[in-house]
Amino acid sequence: MTRSFVGKERRLLFEQQFVVFKEVADTKNITLAAKRLHMSQPSISLQIQNMENLYGARFFNRTNKGVTLTKAGEVFYDHVNNILNILTVAQQQISVLTEDQRALIYIGATLTIGEYILPNILAYLYKIRPDVDFKVKIANTETISQEVIEKRIHIGLIEGPAPRNKEIVVEKFWQDELVVVVPSFHPWAARHSITLAELAKERLIMREEGSGTRKVTELALKEMGLDLSQINVTMELGSTQAIKKVVAAGIGITIISSLTVSRECENGLFKVLKVQDSPVYRPLNMLTLAHTTQTKDERFLISMLHDRDLLEAIINGNCEDDKELYPCGDCLEA
């Protein structure tokens, strides 16, 4: 057996032990960790024991309810995270060099962002970075957040409140306004605003319970002083498109993202109104994994999302002919 082979086997063993340790720490359950890693529970327990013997410290407190990290385990967890992140980035960069692969970024987005913002961003990136491919997953906030933590998504874009998790970095990249939308033939169509009292009397079409838009809307109305029991919700629907069709038919009005109705307003189908003296905004947040090293292409995308003027032009579709809005990657990173 050659020395290089032995060295490779040893590196793979250490990497596997680190993966096992992190999975047990994240799940707080050996049985669940074994299931996710497709390993037996005795094998998981043995690897944890071997690591504790090697480092001369106990990493986990074991109880009938599961396992939790000790102080030594918490220190070790941070280092394991850093090591696994470095190995992941190294593998990605080496793969590009050795296999002539195109750069690939995995993006996750919630529904409104995925339908009304991300397509413009991807179209822009296709023009200035044709060497980079993107894989996109559209899902709810909880799913996007979990997949960022599990490194299945590199950059997550979500609407509304972000989850509290020490493994996730949350950065606001845009602000979305929720507006009252009525059909063009509605009696309010000639107005620019309405009062809370008027809103409470009208038939309201809303997203389903659990929707991010619904949650932000209810919180905002409550802060304005409107008792939620006074809201006349006559229909709940599971998609923005369905809500728009119902409103266009004159069945009711809605409170919805201004991004989702810009085209219909331009075409004269809808009229947007504001609640007097009470604009309703929600942050659009970017999620990335803490304590990780992004690739050059991921840093490029993150820098672009931080450029307010550029992003506004992209979202509004105003960068078609403006060459100044096509900076190189180095410029954005700088």
Side-chain angles (χ1 to χ4, degrees):
M1 187 177 294
T2 64
R3 180 178 299 177
S4 61
F5 180 79
V6 172
K8 181 178 180 181
E9 287 293 299
R10 186 173 297 167
R11 288 195 302 273
L12 289 174
L13 176 61
F14 273 113
E15 185 174 352
Q16 184 186 50
Q17 287 181 339
F18 292 156
V19 170
V20 166
F21 170 85
K22 185 178 186 307
E23 194 66 41
V24 173
D26 289 342
T27 61
K28 299 180 176 62
N29 188 291
I30 291 178
T31 302
L32 183 55
K35 184 177 180 181
R36 288 189 175 185
L37 295 174
H38 306 288
M39 297 172 65
S40 68
Q41 292 182 48
S43 178
I44 295 281
S45 298
L46 180 61
Q47 293 211 36
I48 294 295
Q49 184 180 349
N50 287 340
M51 279 189 287
E52 290 179 330
N53 291 338
L54 177 63
Y55 290 93
R58 187 162 55 86
F59 292 147
F60 293 100
N61 293 314
R62 295 160 175 82
T63 68
N64 292 333
K65 296 181 179 180
V67 296
T68 56
L69 288 171
T70 62
K71 290 294 183 183
E74 291 175 359
V75 172
F76 193 57
Y77 181 88
D78 290 337
H79 289 293
V80 165
N81 253 339
N82 290 335
I83 292 169
L84 290 176
N85 288 330
I86 291 170
L87 290 174
T88 299
V89 173
Q91 185 177 21
Q92 291 172 349
Q93 293 177 347
I94 291 170
S95 293
V96 172
L97 294 174
T98 58
E99 300 177 20
D100 194 28
Q101 292 181 350
R102 295 169 58 83
L104 178 61
I105 299 178
Y106 290 85
I107 301 176
T110 44
L111 189 61
T112 298
I113 296 174
E115 286 190 347
Y116 296 98
I117 294 181
L118 196 54
N120 285 9
I121 292 175
L122 295 178
Y124 172 80
L125 289 169
Y126 176 76
K127 293 177 182 178
I128 64 169
R129 294 298 300 270
D131 57 321
V132 180
D133 290 334
F134 299 89
K135 285 194 175 182
V136 177
K137 178 168 186 174
I138 307 298
N140 59 33
T141 294
E142 183 180 350
T143 299
I144 297 300
S145 305
Q146 188 59 37
E147 296 213 3
V148 169
I149 292 172
E150 295 175 359
K151 301 181 183 178
R152 288 199 285 267
I153 289 175
H154 300 155
I155 297 171
L157 306 175
I158 65 168
E159 306 145 32
R164 292 183 179 180
N165 191 303
K166 64 180 182 180
E167 293 191 50
I168 293 180
V169 176
V170 181
E171 298 175 278
K172 176 182 169 183
F173 74 93
W174 194 252
Q175 182 169 270
D176 181 25
E177 184 177 9
L178 297 180
V179 293
V180 177
V181 176
V182 302
S184 57
F185 51 82
H186 192 280
W188 292 349
R191 300 170 57 178
H192 297 289
S193 63
I194 57 171
T195 66
L196 277 176
E198 289 174 313
L199 181 64
K201 295 177 183 178
E202 189 68 15
R203 296 189 307 273
L204 204 58
I205 315 299
M206 295 190 72
R207 285 291 300 273
E208 76 286 2
E209 290 282 353
S211 157
T213 300
R214 173 71 173 262
K215 186 179 296 184
V216 171
T217 302
E218 289 182 341
L219 286 173
L221 292 176
K222 191 173 182 179
E223 289 176 0
M224 293 176 198
L226 183 63
D227 188 339
L228 298 182
S229 63
Q230 296 177 290
I231 301 176
N232 183 23
V233 180
T234 59
M235 193 176 297
E236 297 180 352
L237 297 170
S239 78
T240 301
Q241 291 300 326
I243 289 176
K244 291 198 291 185
K245 288 182 179 180
V246 169
V247 172
I251 298 174
I253 68 171
T254 190
I255 300 175
I256 203 170
S257 162
S258 60
L259 292 168
T260 67
V261 292
S262 58
R263 182 168 296 178
E264 288 85 356
C265 290
E266 289 175 3
N267 295 335
L269 182 63
F270 292 148
K271 177 66 187 294
V272 164
L273 306 171
K274 297 188 178 184
V275 179
Q276 288 179 6
D277 302 319
S278 302
V280 181
Y281 294 100
R282 62 174 176 177
L284 303 185
N285 292 310
M286 172 171 54
L287 308 182
T288 53
L289 195 63
H291 312 299
T292 190
T293 304
Q294 279 94 22
T295 65
K296 179 185 69 174
D297 301 299
E298 290 165 5
R299 291 197 303 272
F300 174 85
L301 175 55
I302 291 170
S303 296
M304 193 195 80
L305 291 172
H306 284 152
D307 189 326
R308 176 81 185 187
D309 293 336
L310 173 60
L311 193 56
E312 182 175 8
I314 292 171
I315 291 174
N316 294 330
N318 296 330
C319 56
E320 190 73 27
D321 301 316
D322 193 342
K323 299 303 180 184
E324 293 182 1
L325 291 174
Y326 290 82
C328 64
D330 292 338
C331 297
L332 276 177
E333 288 194 61

